[in-house]
């Protein structure tokens, strides 16, 4: 009934912290999230030797849902199922699952560093989608900075290498799904609590992948289960930090800093798979870092200008 729905909506709005323009805090959180997400991706690459991608993704979302279980139980002080935007939650959960499943599928065919580098086209998708869906204004300098970061990715990939294997389409499509996840996160960040966003994503993702896993099921060993738990914990923590980060800055500002995940997957790729980044990878990473630093610099200037205008007295005062 309408009389019962209205208070629920008001309650959600009160509990959800309002978005604030603190881009450097958002950037710091995004940088932290890449450590956890990189660890999750490298572990998934390792586990892909023994389990099919759908099953790895299922374990990942099962752990995700178990972690979020206290927020699903009626009577729990952490209950977070009340929402004013359930449709966006379903879309975000499906996009997150798609990004994870498609990327893990690509890992079965591509080296971890190359797959990760290819997936870093996501900031370009985010920049474009943020204009259409968030109404954000992206200036020419920020477009140029994004293009420089993308050029760094292509330097790492080097046309003609194995990165252009047909399987390279998987991380690209995964990047598009991940960009959609980030846009939906930003769309809900002013009205939904982070715990609500995470809870619904775990439920939706697990429900969808549970319908698929029986067709490819392989009995996992205890070794596989332990690494599957690591994937689930690392990805859940990383996702939580991403949700928090997008309360403090525009999607087009924070997106370039996801490039730093390349550093972590390169280090772990060397330690686990013996893949040593070459000079081209280091050069490309330099382009990526320069892109992110310049974007942060432009954002600081923009904020300073806005504050200066806001503090000017009205000539009619």
């Amino acid at each position: 009934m309408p009389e019962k729905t209205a208070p629920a909506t008001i309650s959600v709005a009160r509990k959800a912290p309002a978005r604030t323009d603190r881009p450097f805090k958002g950037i710091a959180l995004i940088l932290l999230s890449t450590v956890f997400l990189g660890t999750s991706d490298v572990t998934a690459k390792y586990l892909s030797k023994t389990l099919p991608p759908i099953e790895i993704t299922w374990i990942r979302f099962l752990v995700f849902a178990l972690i979020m279980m206290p927020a699903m139980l009626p009577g729990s002080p952490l209950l977070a199922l009340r929402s004013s935007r359930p449709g966006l939650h379903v879309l975000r959960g499906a996009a997150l699952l798609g990004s994870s499943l498609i990327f893990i599928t690509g890992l079965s065919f591509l080296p971890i560093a190359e797959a990760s580098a290819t997936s870093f086209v996501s900031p370009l998708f985010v920049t474009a989608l943020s204009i259409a869906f968030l109404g954000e204004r992206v200036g020419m300098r920020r477009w140029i900075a994004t293009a420089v970061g993308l050029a760094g990715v292509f330097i790492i990939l080097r046309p003609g290498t194995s990165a252009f294997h047909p399987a390279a389409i998987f991380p690209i499509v995964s990047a598009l799904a991940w960009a959609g996840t980030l846009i939906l996160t930003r769309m809900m960040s002013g009205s939904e609590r982070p715990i609500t966003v995470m809870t619904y994503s775990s439920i939706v993702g697990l429900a969808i992948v549970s319908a698929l896993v029986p067709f490819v099921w392989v009995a996992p060993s205890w070794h596989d289960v332990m690494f599957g738990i690591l994937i689930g914990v690392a990805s859940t923590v990383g996702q939580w930090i991403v949700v928090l980060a997008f309360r403090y800055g525009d999607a087009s500002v924070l997106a370039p800093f996801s490039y730093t995940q390349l550093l972590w997957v390169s280090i772990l790729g060397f330690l686990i798979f013996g893949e040593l980044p070459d000079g081209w990878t280091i050069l490309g990473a330099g382009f990526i870092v320069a892109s992110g630093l310049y974007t942060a610099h432009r954002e600081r200037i923009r904020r300073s200008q806005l504050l200066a205008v806001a503090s000017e007295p009205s000539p009619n005062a």
Side-chain angles (χ1 to χ4, degrees):
M1 295 175 63
E3 291 77 15
K4 294 183 179 180
T5 304
T9 303
I10 294 173
S11 175
V12 171
R14 286 176 179 171
K15 290 183 178 181
R19 291 181 293 184
T20 57
D21 190 16
R22 299 175 63 184
F24 285 96
K25 184 171 184 178
I27 289 168
L29 288 170
I30 285 292
L31 292 175
L32 180 61
S33 74
T34 63
V35 179
F36 291 95
L37 296 175
T39 299
S40 175
D41 288 344
V42 171
T43 307
K45 165 72 174 175
Y46 178 78
L47 204 55
S48 66
K49 298 178 180 178
T50 55
L51 295 178
I54 291 177
E55 188 169 347
I56 296 173
T57 307
W58 179 79
I59 296 174
R60 180 176 185 171
F61 274 83
L62 176 62
V63 175
F64 185 10
L66 290 174
I67 292 174
M68 302 308 300
M69 185 66 71
M72 305 178 196
L73 300 176
S76 168
L78 297 176
L79 181 64
L81 294 181
R82 179 175 293 175
S83 171
S84 61
R85 314 189 78 174
L88 290 182
H89 283 298
V90 172
L91 290 176
R92 186 187 187 278
L96 178 61
L97 171 63
S99 177
S100 177
L101 178 57
I102 296 169
F103 184 76
I104 292 175
T105 301
L107 290 178
S108 303
F109 304 97
L110 301 170
I112 181 66
E114 294 183 4
S116 296
T118 306
S119 71
F120 289 152
V121 296
S122 61
L124 182 59
F125 293 139
V126 169
T127 299
L129 292 175
S130 65
I131 297 172
F133 292 97
L134 302 181
E136 294 182 4
R137 298 180 60 183
V138 180
M140 181 59 66
R141 290 187 178 92
R142 206 182 299 178
W143 275 114
I144 293 174
T146 301
V148 169
L150 184 59
V153 172
F154 280 104
I155 290 174
I156 295 171
L157 292 180
R158 298 186 304 280
T161 66
S162 61
F164 288 91
H165 184 285
I169 190 65
F170 287 113
I172 293 175
V173 176
S174 172
L176 179 58
W178 174 242
T181 302
L182 297 181
I183 292 297
L184 289 164
T185 300
R186 184 63 172 164
M187 291 174 68
M188 293 187 289
S189 62
S191 60
E192 301 293 276
R193 294 181 295 161
I195 192 171
T196 301
V197 175
M198 296 290 287
T199 301
Y200 272 97
S201 291
S202 67
I203 294 172
V204 173
L206 181 61
I208 295 174
V209 77
S210 292
L212 302 175
V213 74
F215 298 100
V216 297
W217 180 261
V218 173
S221 65
W222 281 109
H223 174 272
D224 296 333
V225 171
M226 293 302 293
F227 277 103
I229 292 173
L230 175 59
I231 293 171
V233 171
S235 63
T236 300
V237 173
Q239 291 294 329
W240 180 270
I241 296 173
V242 168
V243 171
L244 293 177
F246 276 81
R247 292 190 176 276
Y248 300 104
D250 290 345
S252 53
V253 172
L254 300 183
F257 291 89
S258 62
Y259 286 134
T260 56
Q261 189 170 328
L262 179 61
L263 173 64
W264 306 118
V265 299
S266 296
I267 292 173
L268 293 174
F270 170 69
L271 295 176
I272 298 173
F273 308 114
E275 300 172 357
L276 183 64
D278 57 18
W280 290 105
T281 300
I282 296 173
L283 177 62
F287 274 72
I288 292 168
V289 172
S291 168
L293 292 177
Y294 183 75
T295 300
H297 171 67
R298 291 302 310 172
E299 177 62 16
R300 184 179 63 180
I301 293 176
R302 185 184 71 87
R303 290 189 74 242
S304 298
Q305 291 173 341
L306 290 176
L307 290 174
V309 170
S311 64
E312 262 187 17
S314 169
N316 300 316

